[in-house]
Amino acid sequence: MRTFCRSVEEGNLTAAAKALHITKSVASRRIQTLEDDLGVRLLARTTRGVTPTDAGVQFYDRCLAILAEVDDARQSVRGHSDNLVGHLRITAPRSFSDIDLQEPLTAFMALHPSLTFELHLSDERVDILGGGFDMALRIAQDLNDTSLIAKKLATIKAHVVASPGYLEKYGAPESPDDLQNHNCVFYANVAASEQWRFVGPEGTRAVRVKGSVTTNSGVMQLAAAKAGLAIATLPQFFLREALASVAVVPILEDWQRPESGLYALYPERRLLPVKVRALIDFLSEWFAEDRGLA
């Protein structure tokens, strides 16, 4: 089952075998044995790789739940949460991971040397269920569009910033409406990124802004702002060093951008695996302290 699931996730028997530290022939034999036992074809094989058949898709979903129960059963007889075993497959935003996730994740790894980890870091929206992930970390203002279970770990504030050089050249906007006369940089991974919402002394305000740069990288957004090219809106964790060095300064401080949350997302299961619960609890405690996210 593990070999089958990994083959579906990788889309390739060679890659699946490498991830499981077995040979391709062993992986192929395991899949064939499984198909012979079930009497159905689970994977369609092509020169490019493998894809699950309709039966394979159904079997994959059931296997994920079964394997999670197996890992949890093993954990229950091998010790308590301070001696976790098994494999954790996690997806998280790359930019946030580079800045604020490295330290807590490596601290958790050090506490549980019997666990193995697979980290998929991407700022794109990842299919958690389809990718076979145990858990995802996601930064969002709301999660109304997901059927997954979500636990909020931290609040993340955002700021509108510009470089002193930009403000000297073009002037500082005094209200959100003034942004319509400025060059702004857009974040490509967020829908309707050209409309910025604010909450301030006159209530809520939505302003449609314009700009010459669109990017899927918060690092590039900040670089454009520091270079004096545009005004940017970014989460606090991106801005610590730039604000401290006055490479950029906050503007429109009477108007707050909507807060986002750092969420742990995981598939709905009858029993949440001990290893996933342990990581969620660890991260929740970690970010409950003053870690500078807000």
Side-chain angles (χ1 to χ4, degrees):
M1 283 186 178
R2 292 190 194 279
T3 303
F4 165 70
C5 286
R6 181 50 63 90
S7 299
V8 172
E9 291 154 9
E10 299 289 348
N12 184 283
L13 281 179
T14 301
K18 183 178 180 180
L20 295 169
H21 306 291
I22 57 177
T23 64
K24 181 183 177 180
S25 62
V26 170
S28 180
R29 188 163 60 249
R30 288 179 179 176
I31 299 299
Q32 187 63 57
T33 299
L34 192 57
E35 290 178 329
D36 290 345
D37 180 63
L38 295 171
V40 295
R41 178 64 61 87
L42 296 174
L43 296 176
R45 295 146 174 92
T46 68
T47 55
R48 295 184 177 181
V50 295
T51 56
T53 62
D54 289 344
V57 170
Q58 295 180 34
F59 192 62
Y60 172 78
D61 291 338
R62 298 293 297 271
C63 283
L64 286 181
I66 291 168
L67 292 172
E69 294 284 356
V70 170
D71 286 340
D72 221 36
R74 292 174 64 205
Q75 180 62 54
S76 68
V77 298
R78 294 181 70 169
H80 301 290
S81 60
D82 58 350
N83 185 32
L84 297 176
V85 295
H87 185 72
L88 263 175
R89 199 157 189 257
I90 306 162
T91 180
R94 175 176 293 278
S95 299
F96 177 73
S97 300
D98 290 344
I99 298 171
D100 274 313
L101 197 57
Q102 291 182 11
E103 189 176 356
L105 273 185
T106 53
F108 185 79
M109 291 174 184
L111 285 175
H112 305 289
S114 296
L115 272 177
T116 58
F117 295 83
E118 184 178 346
L119 307 177
H120 177 87
L121 304 180
S122 173
D123 289 328
E124 304 291 337
R125 196 174 185 87
V126 174
D127 183 354
I128 298 170
L129 291 174
F133 293 102
D134 296 297
M135 192 184 87
L137 293 171
R138 186 169 290 169
I139 295 173
Q141 291 182 12
D142 63 71
L143 293 167
N144 296 331
D145 60 340
T146 181
S147 60
L148 301 168
I149 305 300
K151 177 178 174 58
K152 188 175 182 180
L153 303 178
T155 297
I156 300 177
K157 292 184 178 179
H159 302 279
V160 182
V161 297
S163 72
Y166 179 95
L167 298 177
E168 182 178 351
K169 185 174 182 179
Y170 299 106
E174 296 181 0
S175 75
D177 290 336
D178 292 340
L179 289 172
Q180 297 174 90
N181 301 316
H182 287 268
N183 192 37
C184 300
V185 58
F186 302 133
Y187 186 50
N189 288 342
V190 174
S193 64
E194 297 178 6
Q195 188 176 63
W196 293 3
R197 293 188 295 120
F198 295 85
V199 178
E202 300 172 21
T204 60
R205 185 77 57 83
V207 179
R208 185 163 293 279
V209 295
K210 59 185 178 180
S212 59
V213 179
T214 300
T215 175
N216 64 351
S217 166
V219 174
M220 191 64 215
Q221 284 181 278
L222 180 56
K226 290 167 67 175
L229 301 176
I231 292 174
T233 178
L234 286 162
Q236 170 69 23
F237 63 83
F238 262 118
L239 297 170
R240 293 189 202 108
E241 294 184 4
L243 290 173
S245 64
V246 199
V248 296
V249 295
I251 58 177
L252 298 174
E253 293 186 87
D254 289 338
W255 293 85
Q256 301 298 316
R257 293 280 282 139
E259 293 180 344
S260 298
L262 172 65
Y263 293 90
L265 302 177
Y266 51 91
E268 184 174 7
R269 294 177 178 143
R270 187 172 60 84
L271 293 174
L272 183 64
V274 174
K275 60 188 179 182
V276 177
R277 170 56 60 194
L279 178 56
I280 291 174
D281 289 345
F282 182 88
L283 292 176
S284 182
E285 183 177 348
W286 180 279
F287 289 114
E289 301 178 18
D290 183 12
R291 302 290 179 179
L293 294 187

